[in-house]
Amino acid sequence: VANASDGSEKFALDEDHTYVGFSVSYMVVARASGRFDDFEGAFVIDHKHPENSRADITIQTDSVDTGSETRDADIRGPGLFKADRYPTMAFYSRKIEMGSDNTGQIIGDLTLLGITKPVTLNFTKEPGLDENFADGFKVIGKIKRSDFGMNAFIKPIGNVVTLLVCYNMEECTSEEVQRDNKPQYNQ
């Protein structure tokens, strides 16, 4: 983290301090989760000039890890991520709306499978795991995978996917998202 003299905070998303994951309904009665191990990004919080705040992340789709090599191969394959053709997904913010209670929204564009759609993510600022390093941030949002042309396995796997990015937090995993989200019918 770097605190600039202009009152802004700049954070680089790195593997040591960042968790990037997802959770999705599976067979209506359960949830499946995973993470991405290869990503890069940064965010800037400008307290004096909020219009200069931004958050961007690029994720390598073939870095998906659900704990099952077979499932990961299916996710990378032609039915879902098509990682050989679309090796990255990316989110670029257009606007960050800061609340007074350490919460806010990040409004931007997500590109997945070559399709770009607007997405709104909610964030919460919390005390960081390493208080000398930086504050902690949790960013969470939902997308419909069918909006991006990801229609394979639409019956057993839910359409709504919860995305989660945590920075400098002790506990932040897709399991945490599972506790907050009930299984869904395919919407």
Side-chain angles (χ1 to χ4, degrees), residues 35-38 58-65 72 75-77 80-90 111-113 150:
R35 69 177 191 269
F36 295 96
D37 296 325
D38 190 358
T58 301
I59 299 166
Q60 301 299 314
T61 56
D62 67 353
S63 74
V64 66
D65 182 354
D72 294 346
I75 293 170
R76 292 181 190 111
L80 295 172
F81 279 133
K82 303 175 187 174
D84 58 340
R85 185 171 174 200
Y86 302 102
T88 62
M89 69 173 129
T111 300
L112 176 59
L113 298 180
M150 193 180 289

Side-chain angles (χ1 to χ4, degrees), residues 29-156:
V29 297
R31 294 196 69 79
S33 63
R35 69 177 191 269
F36 295 96
D37 296 325
D38 190 358
F39 53 86
E40 61 182 31
F43 61 97
V44 175
I45 304 295
D46 191 329
H47 301 284
K48 291 182 180 177
H49 304 284
E51 67 276 7
N52 294 333
S53 297
R54 65 175 177 78
D56 307 315
I57 188 168
T58 301
I59 299 166
Q60 301 299 314
T61 56
D62 67 353
S63 74
V64 66
D65 182 354
T66 65
S68 166
E69 290 182 25
T70 302
R71 181 173 39 222
D72 294 346
D74 287 342
I75 293 170
R76 292 181 190 111
L80 295 172
F81 279 133
K82 303 175 187 174
D84 58 340
R85 185 171 174 200
Y86 302 102
T88 62
M89 69 173 129
F91 176 83
Y92 296 100
S93 65
R94 285 184 273 117
K95 178 178 169 183
I96 296 180
E97 296 177 345
M98 309 275 293
S100 60
D101 57 353
N102 290 330
T103 63
Q105 291 189 320
I106 304 170
I107 300 150
D109 296 309
L110 177 67
T111 300
L112 176 59
L113 298 180
I115 298 170
T116 301
K117 297 279 185 179
V119 173
T120 299
L121 307 171
N122 297 308
F123 76 87
T124 306
K125 182 177 176 181
E126 300 181 8
L129 170 63
D130 180 347
E131 293 177 12
N132 296 321
F133 182 69
D135 292 319
F137 288 90
K138 182 189 308 179
V139 179
I140 191 166
K142 296 182 182 196
I143 64 165
K144 284 190 176 184
R145 63 187 182 97
S146 61
D147 288 347
F148 297 90
M150 193 180 289
N151 298 311
F153 312 112
I154 206 75
K155 292 292 181 187

Side-chain angles (χ1 to χ4, degrees), residues 4-48:
S5 59
D6 63 1
S8 65
E9 298 174 277
K10 298 176 182 173
F11 305 87
L13 302 179
D14 63 348
E15 293 178 16
D16 292 335
H17 297 95
T18 310
Y19 174 87
V20 179
F22 64 91
S23 177
V24 64
S25 179
Y26 179 70
M27 300 296 285
V28 179
V29 297
R31 294 196 69 79
S33 63
R35 69 177 191 269
F36 295 96
D37 296 325
D38 190 358
F39 53 86
E40 61 182 31
F43 61 97
V44 175
I45 304 295
D46 191 329
H47 301 284
K48 291 182 180 177

